[in-house]
Amino acid sequence: MSQFTVRGRFRSRDGYRTFTKDIDAENENVAREYVLSRFGSEHGLKRVQVELDEVTAQ
């Protein structure tokens, strides 16, 4: 497993808020899916409300 840093922003009541998440995943696509699913389950956001700007391997 590799370490990935995912940066992006999500829509909230006050506008857009930025975030940075460090994820252990097999590849870049798995890291993207993990972040999208976590925002959906923890914050109740739809995938269209989350914008992923950058996924980088560390």
Side-chain angles (χ1 to χ4, degrees), residues 35-48:
V35 169
L36 291 173
S37 68
R38 293 294 286 194
F39 271 105
S41 65
E42 291 179 2
H43 301 286
L45 297 173
K46 306 271 188 218
R47 289 174 180 253
V48 297

Side-chain angles (χ1 to χ4, degrees), residues 3-7 20-23 31 35 54-58:
Q3 180 94 14
F4 291 92
T5 300
V6 181
R7 290 186 179 91
T20 301
K21 298 275 187 191
D22 292 323
I23 306 293
V35 169
E54 179 181 29
V55 179
T56 57
Q58 294 181 342

Side-chain angles (χ1 to χ4, degrees), residues 8-12 15-17 19 32-33 35-37 39-41 44-53:
R9 62 187 187 154
F10 63 92
R11 205 177 305 171
S12 69
Y16 280 96
R17 299 190 65 185
F19 67 89
R32 287 177 187 271
E33 288 297 318
V35 169
L36 291 173
S37 68
F39 271 105
S41 65
L45 297 173
K46 306 271 188 218
R47 289 174 180 253
V48 297
Q49 294 173 308
V50 180
E51 296 179 12
L52 302 180
D53 296 330

Side-chain angles (χ1 to χ4, degrees), residues 1 4 23-35:
M1 292 250 247
F4 291 92
I23 306 293
D24 288 327
E26 294 178 11
N27 59 41
E28 185 178 318
N29 290 334
V30 174
R32 287 177 187 271
E33 288 297 318
Y34 179 79
V35 169

